[in-house]
Amino acid sequence: MFNIALLGRDIGYTRSPRIHDAIAQSVGVQVHTDVIDVSYDMLESAVRNAVSEYDGLYVTKPYKYDIKRYIGCDAVGAINLVRCKDRAAFNTDGVGFLRALDRNFDGRSGKVRSALILGAGGAAYSVAAALKSRDIKPYVLNRTLMHAVKLCAATGAELYVNQPVELAVNCTSVGADGDDVLKNLCVLPDFEYAFDLIYSDVPTPFMRRCAASGAVVQDGADMLIYQAIEGDRILFGIEADVESVFDIVKHKVMQRS
């Protein structure tokens, strides 16, 4: 039995326990997943307790950077997984993003030469690095310029000043509440592809605007599954066919009503 947890703030909506349970069943292991929803003032004690009690600790918004100071980690960029026995830190978001990109854009992502990243939080770092690994030039646009500059310095991305791009990726949480990230950033949805890391039962305003302009759009559901499969591979120490596991989990957990 593997005991894992997901740590974040305001994450009562999460489907992670069901996702990890489905992954474990598909590869023949048992897992129990807890959700640790904690405020910032309780973060240190929550992390220390979790690392001593669980086999693996997944980390989500907004703690993918803050957690590093409590596990003695000097990794560059955000992390979303701690293997507790040796406090090894990982980020599986980039792997999840690229696999979802390939699956949902049906090979057409090979046409993408540049991309606009909206936001400069932990997910944006993972996406920027993943894009660079595919020789796709990332540009960054964020409401706070200082954070965008920091992201560019760390990843080799560049600031966005209306360069033409084929792909736009929303790495912010704007849209989960029905707001439109493009409205506040004054960017026209002139893209061939649009990827929203938010998972929602209905298309987000970002996806609707991009689709209306002719873009192929995708939300973050598949990325969520793929990053969990990669993380559980690390924790469980079991290799399995990724696409077969993905299909099982998607059917069990993410089918919309």
Side-chain angles (χ1 to χ4, degrees):
M1 168 72 78
F2 290 90
N3 291 301
I4 63 179
L6 173 71
L7 182 145
R9 188 178 69 206
D10 300 329
I11 55 171
Y13 60 86
T14 183
R15 299 189 186 188
S16 285
R18 294 174 59 196
I19 291 172
H20 292 295
D21 185 59
I23 293 170
Q25 288 182 27
S26 72
V27 298
V29 302
Q30 292 184 311
V31 67
H32 174 79
T33 307
D34 289 324
V35 176
I36 304 173
D37 199 320
V38 62
S39 59
Y40 188 83
D41 61 327
M42 298 298 293
L43 179 61
E44 181 175 5
S45 60
V47 170
R48 296 192 188 285
N49 290 338
V51 169
S52 66
E53 294 174 7
Y54 293 96
D55 298 300
L57 178 63
Y58 282 90
V59 186
T60 189
K61 67 175 184 76
Y63 299 133
K64 291 183 179 183
Y65 277 93
D66 295 301
I67 189 175
K68 294 193 290 186
R69 73 184 68 169
Y70 303 126
I71 62 170
C73 173
D74 59 359
V76 176
I79 63 172
N80 75 328
L81 174 63
V82 179
R83 187 172 59 202
C84 297
K85 66 180 180 181
D86 57 359
R87 296 197 175 193
F90 305 88
N91 192 308
T92 64
D93 287 335
V95 171
F97 170 72
L98 290 179
R99 287 176 177 165
L101 197 70
D102 290 340
R103 184 181 185 95
N104 289 287
F105 296 151
D106 192 26
R108 289 171 290 182
S109 59
K111 294 167 52 180
V112 175
R113 294 291 176 264
S114 58
L116 167 61
I117 297 173
L118 301 172
Y125 280 76
S126 302
V127 168
L131 291 169
K132 291 278 287 185
S133 75
R134 289 281 182 90
D135 293 323
I136 298 173
K137 192 171 189 60
Y139 297 98
V140 179
L141 183 62
N142 189 61
R143 286 177 292 186
T144 305
L145 178 60
M146 178 182 68
H147 294 157
V149 170
K150 184 178 178 181
L151 171 56
C152 290
T155 64
E158 295 183 12
L159 292 175
Y160 180 73
V161 285
N162 295 319
Q163 297 94 332
V165 299
E166 295 83 18
L167 168 68
V169 187
N170 179 28
C171 296
T172 77
S173 60
V174 178
D177 58 358
D179 202 357
D180 184 352
V181 65
L182 293 178
K183 176 184 67 178
N184 293 327
L185 293 174
C186 300
V187 178
L188 296 177
D190 185 21
F191 318 114
E192 294 182 47
Y193 309 97
F195 195 114
D196 199 332
L197 268 57
I198 295 170
Y199 171 71
S200 175
D201 288 328
V202 297
T204 64
F206 169 76
M207 293 171 62
R208 290 198 300 270
R209 285 188 62 180
C210 293
S213 70
V216 180
V217 301
Q218 176 61 35
D219 71 5
D222 291 355
M223 176 180 168
L224 180 65
I225 297 173
Y226 277 124
Q227 65 84 19
I229 292 172
E230 177 66 11
D232 286 354
R233 181 192 66 80
I234 293 169
L235 294 178
F236 302 160
I238 295 174
E239 299 294 338
D241 182 77
V242 170
E243 295 304 324
S244 296
V245 175
F246 175 90
D247 289 339
I248 292 170
V249 177
K250 185 75 176 280
H251 177 74
K252 286 185 175 181
V253 179
M254 303 302 257
Q255 292 299 318
R256 293 176 172 86
S257 58

